[in-house]
Amino acid sequence: MQHKLPLLFLPGLLNSSKIWRDQVEKLADLTTSIVGDLTVADSISGLAEAVLADAPDRFALAGLSMGGYVAFEIIRTAPDRVERLALLDTTARPDAAEQSAKRTVLVAQTRSEGLDPVIPQLLPGFLSPDGAQDPAMVQAVSEMAHEVGAEAFGRQQSAIMGRPDSRPDLPGIACPTLVIVGAEDTMTGGEIAQEMVDGIPGAVLAEIPNAGHLSPLENPEAVTAALREWLA
């Protein structure tokens, strides 16, 4: 019986493990899936350390958005443990000053008013225009956000704001790497995805149609198919 390589999934900001539900279910014939908890620390290094403490010795690694920032940290600190890397709707760049300023405002608003008024402000960045008008998609994002909670949202935003510039590390990534991007991702699409593909030796790009930043949620079939090819 062939040994299944474990696949460690890392969610994005305000995403619970449900963001990977389709992939975990549909890739079960190829891999044993684990979803890391990215709510427990307020730094990228702290999150990576927590994830690695619970991870198998060797694994494939797939990180979405903030999960991609943690994946880069894992590659920096434990490259020998990662057999394959998938980077979904993420960036190697550090947080820009204007982005950090917006994050600070949202965290302050969450502390005073809770998540409900904040979630609608995030939807245009998370989803494609069609997805943002789809009640089922909006409900899925809202349910995950409340599952993660306001306190963890603050920790996650602190980690995102303090993330390092991973662009200098791209040429040293030696494992087979897939970069996935939603065709309608307005946050980390286009040139940002291409920058990672150009920087990582042998990296492959897969563009997901009819999807924004949360591509595994909006077009799970296409994301699962791309990951299946990468694993095989």
Side-chain angles (χ1 to χ4, degrees), residues 15-180:
N15 299 156
S16 71
S17 61
K18 289 175 184 169
I19 192 75
W20 298 113
R21 183 160 50 191
D22 187 86
Q23 290 72 40
V24 168
E25 179 188 339
K26 302 283 172 57
L27 296 172
D29 60 315
L30 277 185
T31 186
T32 305
S33 296
I34 307 142
V35 182
D37 183 357
L38 299 192
T39 67
V40 296
D42 63 0
S43 68
I44 295 298
S45 59
L47 290 169
E49 189 177 332
V51 166
L52 282 169
D54 291 334
D57 287 342
R58 292 183 66 80
F59 49 86
L61 180 61
L64 170 70
S65 191
M66 178 186 67
Y69 314 150
V70 178
F72 282 128
E73 184 67 21
I74 288 172
I75 286 285
R76 274 190 290 273
T77 56
D80 293 343
R81 294 177 64 180
V82 182
E83 291 206 11
R84 297 179 173 273
L85 176 65
L87 300 164
L88 294 87
D89 299 280
T90 191
T91 177
R93 300 175 185 180
D95 213 37
E98 60 268 23
Q99 290 173 316
S100 291
K102 288 177 187 172
R103 296 184 199 283
T104 302
V105 170
L106 288 175
V107 170
Q109 185 178 8
T110 303
R111 286 192 182 125
S112 60
E113 302 173 44
L115 279 169
D116 283 332
V118 169
I119 293 167
Q121 299 177 62
L122 297 171
L123 286 173
F126 279 176
L127 299 171
S128 68
D130 285 346
Q133 299 300 316
D134 181 339
M137 286 290 164
V138 172
Q139 183 179 353
V141 171
S142 180
E143 284 177 359
M144 287 194 296
H146 284 290
E147 206 176 314
V148 171
E151 286 189 17
F153 176 65
R155 289 193 292 273
Q156 289 181 334
Q157 290 285 37
S158 293
I160 289 170
M161 288 189 278
R163 72 181 187 268
D165 187 347
S166 294
R167 287 173 293 183
D169 303 310
L170 297 179
I173 296 175
C175 60
T177 300
L178 172 65
V179 176
I180 290 177

